[in-house]
Amino acid sequence: MVDFPAMPTTKDQILDAAEALFADHGIQAVPLRKIISEAGVNSAAIHYHFGSKEALVKAVLARRFDPLNRERLLLLDKLESAVGSGQLVIEDVLYAIVAPALRLGQGTESGVGFRRLVGRIFTEHSGYLESIFKDLFRELEERFDAAFRRALPDLMEKELAWRKYMAVGSMIYILREQESILKMSGGLCDTSNVEEAAARMVQFMAAGLKAPVLRFKN
Amino acid sequence: MVDFPAMPTTKDQILDAAEALFADHGIQAVPLRKIISEAGVNSAAIHYHFGSKEALVKAVLARRFDPLNRERLLLLDKLESAVGSGQLVIEDVLYAIVAPALRLGQGTESGVGFRRLVGRIFTEHSGYLESIFKDLFRELEERFDAAFRRALPDLMEKELAWRKYMAVGSMIYILREQESILKMSGGLCDTSNVEEAAARMVQFMAAGLKAPVLRFKN
DNA sequence: GTCTATAGGGGGATAGAC
DNA sequence: GTCTATCCCCCTATAGAC
């Protein structure tokens, strides 16, 4: 058979099927058998191509998160070089995190799936997922933590930490549950308009991050 | 043997063990065998007392969420009767949702576990969990949706819907991941001080909900 | 590289003695 | 109400023919 570029390889079929199923049901909940039957490949193919379920999971995640996080860092690079030693605008920093994730695979049929995966990975920790997650996000977290600091220089470290996790929480909930939210909201909350969704998310998170400082006794 | 009130029944031992394991690993990920061994009961005890894993899950969740949501609704009742036909304050409404969840089991050893369960239930949907979740939260959601409307009368329906889900997302992420957040933040984000944590969460969510309105083309 | 077949371990659920 | 023993299904992983 001639090597025809558009022909999906067995490996890709497995990755596609696994990605869709992981997004729908969670990573642990999906048996390799289901991936096999969904991908229409042989029952030994996964172990031949990847070696184990853990290695497959790593490959599925890396295929999306590596380019996604590279794009986020590229946007941050641009922001940083644009302001020089000046102050970063928190809305711009948030946009650099949110928009690439919302854009992921827009227009493709499988797009919703791996956008949901982006949110899901933050709340699946058990066993080997923990270390996969850390490897995927270490650089991103360091760079954006520093950017948050620069954009919000007046916040105490503790205050910023609290608000950062709450902002992250709101973002991953929207990404992860986008379909059930679309349904629950009766069609109002639609992430398929990327710029609108990004603007709403950025605005919400920025408002929380910039809220007036509270005083506590401790 | 005399009926001694402090003696935990087999049923309670099962519920306690299941709750802790569900909070740690997720509901689907926990096999009944693990609950059995953790609870130190007989391998047939769960099926004798509950009938199935689904019925056990329902019992575990109802034991905590029924009183929790009753308390939230009681607080909302008080707010509503205090303002009469006037306007509700969004911060008070948010506090009525957040504070009871943070207070759940504070001081007890197993408290962290079922506080995490509160957050976890929002992102485990597969199969029978969906309908259990709806049953547990139907009344709460209706009442608090109406309260949000009353507290934020100037927001368009769509705007309010978006912001509501983002606020919910930030809350459940904090509840659900409280231990990993405590660790990741180097001890800064501690939910054991209930009033401080509640105040921070309320402030963040309220700021996002009250952010200035954006204009969109659609 | 792709197939069938199967090993080997867990999973939920149940029967039936005590 | 509590125990032991076991059924039957599904899981990951591998061996070995083609």
Side-chain angles (χ1 to χ4, degrees), chain B residues 4-71:
Chain B
F4 187 54
M7 169 108 185
T9 65
T10 300
K11 219 168 165 171
D12 287 331
Q13 286 175 280
I14 293 170
L15 287 170
D16 290 339
E19 178 175 87
L21 288 165
F22 289 161
D24 281 344
H25 308 288
I27 291 167
Q28 311 188 24
V30 175
L32 292 183
R33 292 175 138 81
K34 203 157 226 161
I35 300 171
I36 286 158
S37 76
E38 200 73 18
V41 300
N42 185 269
S43 72
I46 287 181
H47 282 89
Y48 176 79
H49 286 287
F50 298 95
S52 70
K53 183 172 179 177
E54 176 172 351
L56 170 63
V57 170
K58 203 176 266 185
V60 168
L61 296 176
R63 185 171 66 144
R64 300 300 175 195
F65 283 105
D66 285 347
L68 170 63
N69 289 346
R70 262 200 304 279
E71 190 189 339

Side-chain angles (χ1 to χ4, degrees), chain A residues 201-215:
Chain A
M201 291 168 73
V202 165
Q203 186 204 27
F204 182 89
M205 294 187 284
L209 286 162
K210 295 190 297 189
V213 173
L214 289 178
R215 294 261 151 251

Side-chain angles (χ1 to χ4, degrees), chain A residues 1 5 16 23 37 47 53 55 61 81 96 110 154 192:
Chain A
M1 195 189 291
D16 289 340
S37 75
H47 282 91
K53 182 172 180 179
L61 296 177
S81 60
S110 55
D154 295 336
S192 66

